[in-house]
Amino acid sequence: MKLLLLHADFMEWEPTKPALRSAEPTTKERKRVDDALVVMISVEEGDDEEKIGPAADSIEEQFQRVKPSRIVIYPWVHLSQRPSKPYTALTIIKELARELERRGYEVHRAPFGWYKAFTISVKGHPLAELSRSF
Amino acid sequence: MKLLLLHADFMEWEPTKPALRSAEPTTKERKRVDDALVVMISVEEGDDEEKIGPAADSIEEQFQRVKPSRIVIYPWVHLSQRPSKPYTALTIIKELARELERRGYEVHRAPFGWYKAFTISVKGHPLAELSRSF
């Protein structure tokens, strides 16, 4: 699993077209989230539910460090050379979002399996960008 | 070498603070480039000037496919787990920019070795995001 944690002033996305047969049901509405820790995520071959706890710990640690208001989980296959099958990726991503909600965070999740237009504004401080591999 | 090619409506960046001793001399001015193919790049251990031609070919091919107006080269270490030494990265990135200029493209390059705030707006069509490994 690869994560890229970005401390963002805002992120917006708009699903344009399904990219996979397994694209999640969603609307094509543009969505905007302000003051967020954006978690760009690639689930990789061999990943299973055992990665969820450590990933959530790492996200929580970074959240406490940079103190945004909420979390965005954004599926982004480009972080990995060996992505998992889509079904596995979606299952793990959903479970990670639920785990973070259980820990009390406000979590927004961009739909999986769609081409999406997006705009992100990343802050410029030294902790604003952090990559993690599990 | 890892490349992530993003077809963007615009990209803005603003250097905030040197992140490395070898940070390039630059000003802290905010810069904005519209309608660009944004090349996020990580130079990796073992990369040398032999990667420049294939990387430029790949960027040129994608440019011709999506037909933006110009190119942005943006150093982004997060695409790799095994980045090269900074001196190597900067040398190769500069040479890649020069090669693309020699081929007739307008090239903008974000400074290497700085923490930077940035905003990018990526289009939502199926060819708007492409990753490449050399």
Side-chain angles (χ1 to χ4, degrees):
Chain A
M1 181 186 289
K2 297 283 192 301
L3 300 181
L4 178 55
L5 308 180
L6 302 172
H7 186 198
D9 285 323
F10 71 89
M11 187 172 196
E12 290 184 341
W13 62 87
E14 183 178 341
T16 53
K17 199 175 162 175
L20 300 172
R21 277 194 213 165
S22 52
E24 277 190 281
T26 189
T27 65
K28 290 191 178 176
E29 276 170 31
R30 194 162 185 91
K31 179 159 177 177
R32 175 177 169 126
V33 179
D34 288 288
D35 189 29
L37 183 65
V38 175
V39 178
M40 310 296 269
I41 180 170
S42 288
V43 179
E44 300 183 288
E45 273 174 23
D47 284 349
D48 60 22
E49 67 282 354
E50 293 190 6
K51 299 283 176 90
I52 292 166
D57 291 348
S58 184
I59 293 165
E60 187 164 23
E61 188 184 348
Q62 183 66 357
F63 190 101
Q64 296 304 332
R65 218 178 265 142
V66 300
K67 301 196 184 305
S69 302
R70 49 194 67 84
I71 294 170
V72 169
I73 297 188
Y74 196 92
W76 217 41
V77 72
H78 309 295
L79 300 176
S80 175
Q81 302 297 302
R82 46 180 197 93
S84 73
K85 296 205 169 133
Y87 177 80
T88 308
L90 179 54
T91 305
I92 289 181
I93 287 170
K94 279 179 167 173
E95 194 46 53
L96 176 61
R98 272 194 289 265
E99 173 61 21
L100 290 164
E101 282 171 345
R102 269 194 291 270
R103 296 183 186 195
Y105 297 98
E106 177 187 332
V107 180
H108 302 261
R109 194 165 61 74
F112 182 86
W114 285 76
Y115 296 113
K116 296 181 284 289
F118 73 92
T119 303
I120 186 169
S121 187
V122 177
K123 290 175 185 283
H125 63 74
L127 297 175
E129 302 183 17
L130 180 73
S131 41
R132 284 282 178 264
S133 182
F134 296 93
Chain B
M1 182 186 289
K2 296 283 192 301
L3 300 182
L4 179 54
L5 308 181
L6 302 172
H7 186 198
D9 285 322
F10 71 88
M11 186 172 196
E12 290 185 339
W13 62 88
E14 182 179 340
T16 53
K17 200 174 159 175
L20 301 172
R21 275 193 214 167
S22 51
E24 277 190 281
T26 190
T27 65
K28 290 191 178 176
E29 276 170 31
R30 194 162 185 92
K31 178 159 177 176
R32 176 177 169 127
V33 179
D34 288 289
D35 189 29
L37 182 65
V38 175
V39 178
M40 309 296 268
I41 179 170
S42 288
V43 179
E44 299 183 287
E45 275 174 23
D47 284 348
D48 60 22
E49 68 282 354
E50 294 188 7
K51 300 282 177 89
I52 292 168
D57 292 347
S58 185
I59 293 165
E60 187 164 22
E61 188 184 350
Q62 183 66 356
F63 190 100
Q64 295 304 333
R65 217 179 265 139
V66 301
K67 302 197 183 302
S69 302
R70 49 194 67 83
I71 293 169
V72 168
I73 296 187
Y74 196 93
W76 218 41
V77 73
H78 308 295
L79 300 176
S80 176
Q81 302 298 303
R82 46 179 196 91
S84 72
K85 296 205 169 136
Y87 177 79
T88 306
L90 179 54
T91 304
I92 289 180
I93 288 170
K94 279 180 168 172
E95 193 48 51
L96 176 61
R98 270 193 291 264
E99 173 61 21
L100 290 164
E101 283 172 343
R102 268 194 292 268
R103 297 184 185 194
Y105 297 98
E106 177 187 333
V107 180
H108 301 260
R109 195 164 61 74
F112 181 87
W114 284 77
Y115 296 114
K116 295 180 285 288
F118 72 92
T119 304
I120 186 169
S121 186
V122 177
K123 291 176 184 283
H125 64 74
L127 297 174
E129 302 183 16
L130 180 73
S131 41
R132 284 284 177 263
S133 182
F134 298 94

